[in-house]
Amino acid sequence: MPSTTRVNSVIEIERAGDVALIRIDNPPVNAAGRDVRQGIEDAINALAGDDSIKAIGLYGAGRTFVAGADIREFGKPPLAPSLPDVCNTIERCGKPVVAVLHGTALGGGLELAMASHARIGLTGLRVGLPEVLLGILPGAGGTQRAPRLVGIPFALDMITTGRHLPAAEALEHGLIDQLKDGDPRDVALASAKAVVAGNLKTRRTDEIAVEPNDAALEAAKAKIAKKTPHLFSPVKCVEAVAASVTPIDEGLATERHLYIQCHDSPQRAGLIHAFFAERAVAKVPEAKATPRPVQKIGVIGGGTMGSGITTSALLAGFDVTMIEVAAEALERGTGTVRKNLEGAVKRGKLAEAKHAETVARLGASTDMTDLADADLVIEAVFENMEVKKEIFTKLDGIVKDGTILASNTSYLNINEIAACTKRPQDVLGLHFFSPAHVMRLLEIVVADKTAPEVVATGFALAKRMKKVGVRAGVCDGFIGNRILSHYLRVTNYMVMDGATPEQIDDALEGFGFAMGPFRVSDLAGLDIGWAERKRLAPLRPAAERVIEIGDRICENGWFGRKTGRGYYVYDEGDAHPNPEVANIIASERAKAGVTPRDFTDQEIVDRYMTAMISEAARVVDDGIALRPVDVDAVFLFGYGFPRFRGGPLAYADTIGAAELIKRIEAYAKEDSHYWQVPDLLRRMAADGSTFAQLNEGK
Ligand code: CAA
């Protein structure tokens, strides 16, 4: 008769004849926190000294094997036993240990498995060493044992990309020994018995020799230097893998030393903040409401945004009807969607076999009444309040009761749009970012009367579309574009005062942005900002410093990449600064009587980031964003903010409120209208608090 003994709150041993099973039960993802580590260590030691036991099976309860170390413990004082020690205990155990993996075996989870003496994967398993994505390296022997099992080239691929491998690939490369179907506990029992019967071979990973491969190491270093020049941990990953050709104790010591360097780097803190930010934003007051069922979606507008939204919805399995005013525009819009879907197949985002079925879910019409039975309608026409109001009034009379009406507006007032319907409780903003089938951010804009279940439906939609939904309040530009409008002004001020657009772009790319602000504006189209400036001109306070360089550029018909010319000139893939822009800048400076001065790259970054943080602080204080982390997520997933810096307000904590105020007050000597100290920063400086504390509700 099998008997079970509890080792601690998360680990149990089951004895069945001459084999024993160790069960890990630490929901939701069996993260290897202190109790898991201590429990496994104690269980292995107990079983190693038990003469009746000949083999041990290790498996996880619930939806997954171990999904990694407990990320919440990072940055806190270490708690013994460490994961490397537990892995060593398993590897050195005199009894064979077979790990049975289901769900995911990631990071420390895969390291526990690699230290075991055989690995069985269950159907659907995904494995990987994603530590690099958190700014660290697989520090529980992963950099030493992976090369022993799969060779240096494949280990480098796994460790430097952090990608998740499907079970078949893990089997093909020898990371797992067998792939089976079944329940983890039953397979663990059968596998342990198979070991005893001599039907399943086991071996110690540390006894496998690694074949040196300097070429692969050099190639990995070159790839990292090109693709992620700002990141610290990928380089350390390669250095650690290089040490795998030495005896394992030496290699493990090198790995530990490099791991500590990564762990202590600010990039680790930033990347882990980003990991939790992605999950924290779903925790909103409306999360408990039940989302309305959505299957049929209407999208009004077949332009870039409408086509992108339609593509994203089709990829998520919805039935979508696109509406355009004229047949020709509709044909263009659906053509773009079809092209996007073909691209999705090429990029591996859509299985070839599912392509026809996905295209078949696309409907098209020039008649809005075809949306009568839609569950959700997303309006994505150009930014004009009158046009939007007309559409919403019409839709209100067409769609069934309970249909949710959403606007993809980037700036306009959702309350005003909702007010022209008889169902303001069913109206919200769903602000996608271009290209909508690629960018992960979705701002879910909650108007005064939006019902909680409508907000919950927005979040459910984001999840199904694999997007990061962030709750935003109503104001001009919501979270992202409101902050963007503010800090873009500082780039113009710096250009007027002496910097060049390319110097600003280069400085910010050096800080880690994927693209500088002028390159982004050229890509998005300079006419967009121009229209926005014209819209806001009548509302502009008299004290505001106005720079017209951008207007002069647009007056020439230079709207950026799409016209071949903007801040840069685009010649067959090559981009260089537009010489005419330098003339425009010189003439605008002369007109305003400005004598240009030099800017250092550091000053550019400081001014840009201080402007961004200032408006972000106001957005939090005004309740437009629920917490600082919501602002961080918006910038990480919608604006190419360097992930390793965690987001604008996580970065602000590394500077501190007092220092930020000092900077703002110094800049205010030049322009006291633009540079004003946000009240929130003043309060934070007074009580020494941080944005991180605000995230925790402190
Ligand atoms: N530690 C702590 N908490 C974790 C965690 C971890 N390793 N992984 C997931 N969680 C938490 C999430 O924060 C989330 O919590 P809330 O519900 O409170 O928001 C909960 O578990 C469920 O996670 P998801 O919402 O992400 O669930 P999912 O089903 O969408 O994805 C997953 C599951 C694929 C495992 C995903 O959570 C994931 O990728 N986790 C991280 C895996 C990872 O990076 N592991 C390596 C850790 S580093 C390491 O192991 C270091 C080392 O070598 C010593």
Side-chain angles (χ1 to χ4, degrees):
M1 270 295 282
S3 70
T4 56
T5 332
R6 189 155 271 293
V7 179
N8 63 19
S9 60
V10 292
I11 302 292
E12 212 174 71
I13 297 176
E14 176 183 342
R15 287 180 166 78
D18 55 2
V19 303
L21 305 182
I22 301 175
R23 170 185 157 102
I24 307 163
D25 189 6
N26 184 29
V29 296
N30 288 329
R34 199 203 88 91
D35 288 350
V36 168
R37 298 194 301 273
Q38 187 68 61
I40 297 177
E41 173 100 0
D42 291 349
I44 294 281
N45 286 336
L47 296 170
D50 183 339
D51 290 342
S52 68
I53 297 299
K54 304 268 179 295
I56 301 165
L58 176 69
Y59 74 98
R63 68 193 221 210
T64 182
F65 187 69
V66 175
D70 188 336
I71 300 172
R72 289 164 307 188
E73 287 182 2
F74 290 1
K76 297 184 183 152
L79 297 165
S82 71
L83 199 56
D85 287 347
V86 177
C87 288
N88 292 339
T89 302
I90 294 175
E91 186 161 68
R92 290 165 196 167
C93 175
K95 311 274 167 72
V97 180
V98 48
V100 172
L101 317 176
H102 77 290
T104 48
L106 300 172
L110 184 58
E111 290 175 299
L112 285 168
M114 291 194 294
S116 301
H117 307 119
R119 285 152 294 281
I120 312 295
L122 298 188
T123 307
L125 171 73
R126 284 181 301 139
V127 301
L129 293 168
E131 285 88 341
V132 71
L133 305 174
L134 301 173
I136 51 173
L137 51 77
T143 65
Q144 305 305 301
R145 293 191 180 98
R148 283 171 165 77
L149 289 169
V150 302
I152 284 184
F154 196 66
L156 281 170
D157 173 34
M158 286 179 67
I159 293 171
T160 61
T161 64
R163 72 187 175 93
H164 292 188
L165 279 57
E169 197 179 355
L171 182 67
E172 184 193 328
H173 288 273
L175 203 52
I176 56 174
D177 304 299
Q178 293 179 5
L179 188 54
K180 297 211 154 161
D181 280 324
D183 171 74
R185 184 251 168 210
D186 296 347
V187 176
L189 182 64
S191 303
K193 284 186 184 294
V195 170
V196 177
N199 296 331
L200 175 61
K201 272 221 205 111
T202 56
R203 61 179 175 176
R204 278 178 62 149
T205 308
D206 62 354
E207 287 168 357
I208 304 168
V210 179
E211 195 175 320
N213 192 329
D214 289 345
L217 292 165
E218 287 312 313
K221 276 190 214 156
K223 194 169 158 196
I224 289 163
K226 191 159 171 244
K227 286 187 114 180
T228 49
H230 299 289
L231 296 184
F232 182 73
S233 72
V235 180
K236 300 291 145 186
C237 287
V238 178
E239 287 175 25
V241 171
S244 66
V245 295
T246 62
I248 196 141
D249 284 341
E250 230 173 275
L252 288 174
T254 305
E255 178 191 89
R256 182 95 307 242
H257 167 72
L258 295 167
Y259 175 84
I260 290 167
Q261 287 182 11
C262 292
H263 184 271
D264 292 347
S265 100
Q267 294 196 355
R268 189 267 306 154
L271 288 163
I272 288 183
H273 178 77
F275 175 86
F276 284 116
E278 185 174 342
R279 289 153 179 85
V281 289
K283 290 168 186 155
V284 296
E286 296 84 358
K288 286 201 183 80
T290 308
R292 292 190 190 160
V294 173
Q295 182 52 36
K296 289 186 183 168
I297 296 182
V299 175
I300 316 253
T304 312
M305 286 314 294
S307 313
I309 295 167
T310 302
T311 307
S312 187
L314 288 168
L315 288 171
F318 294 104
D319 303 321
V320 191
T321 302
M322 179 187 272
I323 303 284
E324 258 293 355
V325 273
E328 206 181 293
L330 192 59
E331 192 43 52
R332 249 199 323 272
T334 52
T336 310
V337 174
R338 284 197 196 91
K339 234 173 53 210
N340 289 345
L341 291 175
E342 277 162 28
V345 172
K346 279 195 202 116
R347 291 199 316 277
K349 300 271 178 221
L350 174 64
E352 178 82 65
K354 285 195 164 172
H355 179 249
E357 176 270 327
T358 308
V359 175
R361 280 187 278 104
L362 171 62
S365 172
T366 50
D367 184 358
M368 239 194 253
T369 60
D370 285 343
L371 298 184
D373 65 344
D375 305 308
L376 163 70
V377 181
I378 304 171
E379 164 277 310
V381 305
F382 58 94
E383 291 287 69
N384 178 302
M385 183 56 105
E386 292 322 306
V387 176
K388 291 196 193 260
K389 278 185 178 170
E390 201 185 311
I391 290 174
F392 273 74
T393 310
K394 250 197 213 158
L395 277 173
D396 193 28
I398 292 172
V399 295
K400 64 182 183 191
D401 279 354
T403 297
I404 295 174
L405 300 181
S407 173
N408 176 55
T409 177
S410 332
Y411 287 94
L412 302 177
N413 188 327
I414 305 288
N415 283 320
E416 217 179 307
I417 296 175
C420 67
T421 71
K422 288 189 277 320
R423 58 177 90 207
Q425 74 283 356
D426 296 341
V427 177
L428 83 170
L430 288 177
H431 182 211
F432 291 82
F433 288 71
S434 185
H437 56 297
V438 178
M439 295 299 285
R440 293 198 60 213
L441 178 63
L442 176 63
E443 278 183 323
I444 297 170
V445 188
V446 182
D448 292 349
K449 294 190 178 155
T450 312
E453 72 271 17
V454 171
V455 180
T457 311
F459 276 90
L461 179 84
K463 192 161 184 201
R464 206 163 140 191
M465 286 181 162
K466 298 197 174 79
K467 297 205 181 290
V468 180
V470 178
R471 189 190 194 282
V474 176
C475 68
D476 213 288
F478 318 123
I479 297 177
N481 281 346
R482 168 168 159 186
I483 298 171
L484 173 81
S485 306
H486 182 76
Y487 69 76
L488 278 187
R489 278 163 52 200
V490 85
T491 61
N492 290 322
Y493 296 155
M494 289 192 282
V495 168
M496 190 69 169
D497 292 340
T500 63
E502 56 278 18
Q503 189 196 357
I504 292 176
D505 281 344
D506 291 349
L508 291 163
E509 285 164 23
F511 177 78
F513 281 96
M515 251 186 174
F518 293 101
R519 292 195 177 100
V520 172
S521 302
D522 265 7
L523 188 64
L526 300 181
D527 48 330
I528 298 176
W530 194 25
E532 213 24 48
R533 287 195 296 279
K534 285 185 201 159
R535 178 176 74 86
L536 294 175
L539 309 172
R540 208 182 279 147
E544 185 172 315
R545 185 179 180 204
V546 180
I547 308 294
E548 294 183 346
I549 296 168
D551 302 348
R552 296 292 96 79
I553 296 172
C554 288
E555 284 158 11
N556 283 292
W558 300 332
F559 296 155
R561 263 187 207 220
K562 61 185 170 192
T563 58
R565 223 164 247 264
Y567 285 96
Y568 297 85
V569 177
Y570 300 88
D571 282 333
E572 293 178 7
D574 179 46
H576 56 269
N578 184 349
E580 301 290 341
V581 168
N583 295 336
I584 291 174
I585 294 170
S587 115
E588 290 296 308
R589 283 178 189 154
K591 224 163 52 186
V594 172
T595 311
R597 68 171 178 92
D598 286 340
F599 280 79
T600 63
D601 287 358
Q602 188 60 50
E603 184 180 359
I604 289 170
V605 169
D606 287 351
R607 283 181 179 247
Y608 188 82
M609 286 311 305
T610 306
M612 188 187 296
I613 292 164
S614 298
E615 193 62 11
R618 288 182 201 109
V619 158
V620 173
D621 218 12
D622 292 351
I624 298 299
L626 281 181
R627 300 147 297 205
V629 71
D630 295 80
V631 174
D632 287 340
V634 162
F635 280 84
L636 290 168
F637 298 104
Y639 293 81
F641 192 90
R643 198 174 159 93
F644 66 89
R645 297 196 188 270
L649 295 180
Y651 175 70
D653 274 350
T654 68
I655 304 169
E659 170 61 24
L660 286 162
I661 291 174
K662 234 193 308 175
R663 279 187 199 172
I664 297 168
E665 286 174 344
Y667 303 151
K669 291 190 183 121
E670 298 159 21
D671 181 349
S672 60
H673 174 77
Y674 183 74
W675 292 108
Q676 294 184 27
V677 177
D679 294 343
L680 177 57
L681 280 188
R682 281 225 193 277
R683 298 200 302 276
M684 287 170 64
D687 64 11
S689 62
T690 60
F691 286 111
Q693 287 169 329
L694 215 55
N695 283 328
E696 286 158 19
K698 289 179 193 158

